[in-house]
Amino acid sequence: MPVHYAIWRVGENPQPLTISKLATEKLLQKMIIQDSSILSDQWMIIGEEVNTLDSGRIDLLAIAPDASLILIELKRDRTPREVVAQALDYASWVDDLTADRLSQIYEKFSGGGNLGDAFRERFNAELEEDSLNQSHQIIIVAAELDPSTERIVDYLSKNGISINVLFFKVFQHGDEQFLSRAWLIDPSETQTNAAQATATSTIAKEPWNGEFYVSFGDSNSRVWEEARRYGFISAGGGSWYSQTLKQLQPGNRVWVKVPATGYVGVGIVQSAVEPASSFTIETEHGEKLAMDTLKYSELYRKNADDPDKSEYFVPVKWLETRAEHEAVNEVGFFGNQNTVCKPTAPKWRHTVDKLKSYFKCWNTDK
């Protein structure tokens, strides 16, 4: 449905701000380059006006923490349907980008920078060639779309295409202009589609086996032994990390991996995701807020009022867990940087089958 905007100046006599326009849409593109959090605080811009040779130029190209790509197209003067068709055409070109070509794109964009170094600095992780460009999202930035084009985007999204629209509107107050934004589709749905693609082999895939993969990462903001003791998984520090937790529902079985370490637990989800501001744990002193009890409670309290950066928790009844030094890992085991995903690669079935021989209590019926 069409997105409508309005902003009022707060006071006893509220005054609506006047809807305005940017001098040029090129200005918005420059603003996004200067501050990519206009789109997402978890994306890094790696290319501008990227030449696709025979298809035209991609306005902006970005990369996410899992090394997936984000193709960003501004509507400019094209009709809505034209921009969607053009973006899909660009996506078919992006799908074939190699690591060498992406390095060249970033080098040109940054004036000689190294993509691997920039990725490490931005995301505190190594950029592995095997994980680069395993999936991508299409983001269309527009002031408005017609209803039929919105239906097309919604249809593509519901059928597994990682596409979304970010609507923006400019408001005038005196000599100042203010920019607001709203998403057509919940960004977590778009990321989930992309994560699903990342978790699917490009060679073969099979029906999802009903088992969820969970990455419990970043030892600088959460502790596995606490999750193990109090019964939860969590993620935060940015919406990219936390929003895939929304996939989990009561009764789902999760297999938890600590990145670069191995699989440490299997459990059953007890209830849906909760923010740190309300999530409680049962301690020896009774029920307490997690953000008042856990090792990184100060960080959780600091971000509790920020929906994007807040830590989010999912309560889990553990069936069996291990300490990190006892983690299970083998060559060929499935791994993914998304917090939660539903893999359909044969490697995931192989991984779960092998894990069931290590974690004897994986079945709640036994």
Side-chain angles (χ1 to χ4, degrees), residues 135-364:
S135 68
H136 54 261
Q137 298 181 42
I138 302 169
I139 305 299
I140 297 168
V141 181
E144 58 185 3
L145 293 183
D146 60 84
S148 65
T149 304
E150 290 187 18
R151 288 195 298 272
I152 292 171
V153 171
D154 188 57
Y155 171 80
L156 292 171
S157 177
K158 288 178 179 178
N159 283 274
I161 303 299
S162 304
I163 186 170
N164 208 339
V165 178
L166 183 138
F167 294 99
F168 72 91
K169 191 70 73 174
V170 179
F171 293 88
Q172 193 81 31
H173 179 61
D175 295 331
E176 294 185 294
Q177 287 186 314
F178 298 89
L179 185 73
S180 69
R181 72 174 192 190
W183 291 97
L184 175 63
I185 302 166
D186 185 338
S188 65
E189 295 182 26
T190 312
Q191 185 187 333
T192 296
N193 285 340
Q196 181 74 8
T198 305
T200 301
S201 169
T202 57
I203 299 175
K205 62 180 180 178
E206 56 189 37
W208 174 51
N209 62 5
E211 311 275 356
F212 281 88
Y213 167 88
V214 172
S215 174
F216 189 90
D218 193 357
S219 59
N220 294 316
S221 58
R222 60 194 61 87
V223 179
W224 166 243
E225 284 303 316
E226 291 182 332
R228 183 185 184 196
R229 176 182 178 184
Y230 296 116
F232 67 81
I233 55 175
S234 69
S239 58
W240 188 91
Y241 298 101
S242 59
Q243 58 194 5
T244 54
L245 288 170
K246 295 179 181 178
Q247 296 180 78
L248 298 176
Q249 298 297 323
N252 293 153
R253 182 160 50 223
V254 294
W255 296 89
V256 181
K257 182 181 182 182
V258 173
T261 300
Y263 286 86
V264 291
V266 55
I268 302 297
V269 172
Q270 299 299 290
S271 61
V273 62
E274 286 186 53
S277 59
S278 63
F279 184 73
T280 60
I281 56 177
E282 196 62 45
T283 74
E284 58 185 10
H285 302 295
E287 190 176 52
K288 302 286 186 181
L289 277 173
M291 67 177 186
D292 291 338
T293 307
L294 303 179
K295 177 179 179 179
Y296 292 103
S297 57
E298 184 177 344
L299 175 64
Y300 301 158
R301 286 195 297 270
K302 176 183 176 183
N303 293 331
D305 295 329
D306 186 333
D308 286 333
K309 294 184 178 180
S310 173
E311 188 79 3
Y312 289 86
F313 295 81
V314 173
V316 174
K317 177 184 177 181
W318 294 118
L319 302 176
E320 187 175 338
T321 62
R322 293 173 176 234
E324 287 190 48
H325 70 273
E326 300 174 319
V328 177
N329 204 12
E330 290 186 7
V331 175
F333 268 10
F334 180 86
N336 193 277
Q337 289 176 287
N338 286 275
T339 301
V340 176
C341 64
K342 301 190 296 184
T344 57
K347 181 185 286 189
W348 177 235
R349 173 175 47 81
H350 163 76
T351 300
V352 172
D353 288 346
K354 290 297 295 287
L355 288 175
K356 287 176 179 178
S357 68
Y358 286 103
F359 294 88
K360 303 296 185 182
C361 299
W362 63 270
N363 194 340
T364 55

Side-chain angles (χ1 to χ4, degrees), residues 17-36:
L17 270 62
T18 303
I19 294 178
S20 182
K21 290 184 178 181
L22 293 175
T24 65
E25 286 195 0
K26 188 71 174 178
L27 174 58
L28 178 59
Q29 183 168 321
K30 291 180 179 178
M31 290 170 62
I32 293 171
I33 292 172
Q34 289 298 316
D35 185 359
S36 58

Side-chain angles (χ1 to χ4, degrees), residues 38-189:
I38 291 174
L39 302 178
S40 170
D41 61 1
Q42 297 301 320
W43 295 347
M44 180 178 76
I45 305 297
I46 63 170
E48 177 187 17
E49 300 294 340
V50 179
N51 191 350
T52 66
L53 300 180
D54 58 343
S55 299
R57 294 177 182 270
I58 299 171
D59 290 330
L60 294 170
L61 191 65
I63 193 168
D66 66 344
S68 61
L69 301 180
I70 301 94
L71 182 162
I72 302 158
E73 276 297 291
L74 277 66
K75 178 177 173 292
R76 300 188 188 279
D77 296 324
R78 289 169 290 181
T79 67
R81 289 196 182 192
E82 282 178 337
V83 75
V84 172
Q86 186 73 79
L88 290 171
D89 190 15
Y90 289 162
S92 67
W93 181 82
V94 167
D95 193 46
D96 293 326
L97 284 177
T98 64
D100 286 344
R101 182 69 182 101
L102 286 166
S103 295
Q104 293 170 7
I105 289 171
Y106 181 74
E107 184 177 5
K108 178 181 179 181
F109 170 72
S110 61
N114 179 278
L115 179 57
D117 292 343
F119 187 91
R120 186 185 309 110
E121 182 178 352
R122 176 67 179 82
F123 299 117
N124 193 32
E126 295 297 325
L127 179 58
E128 299 177 358
E129 185 170 335
D130 289 344
S131 62
L132 186 59
N133 195 21
Q134 290 299 304
S135 68
H136 54 261
Q137 298 181 42
I138 302 169
I139 305 299
I140 297 168
V141 181
E144 58 185 3
L145 293 183
D146 60 84
S148 65
T149 304
E150 290 187 18
R151 288 195 298 272
I152 292 171
V153 171
D154 188 57
Y155 171 80
L156 292 171
S157 177
K158 288 178 179 178
N159 283 274
I161 303 299
S162 304
I163 186 170
N164 208 339
V165 178
L166 183 138
F167 294 99
F168 72 91
K169 191 70 73 174
V170 179
F171 293 88
Q172 193 81 31
H173 179 61
D175 295 331
E176 294 185 294
Q177 287 186 314
F178 298 89
L179 185 73
S180 69
R181 72 174 192 190
W183 291 97
L184 175 63
I185 302 166
D186 185 338
S188 65
E189 295 182 26

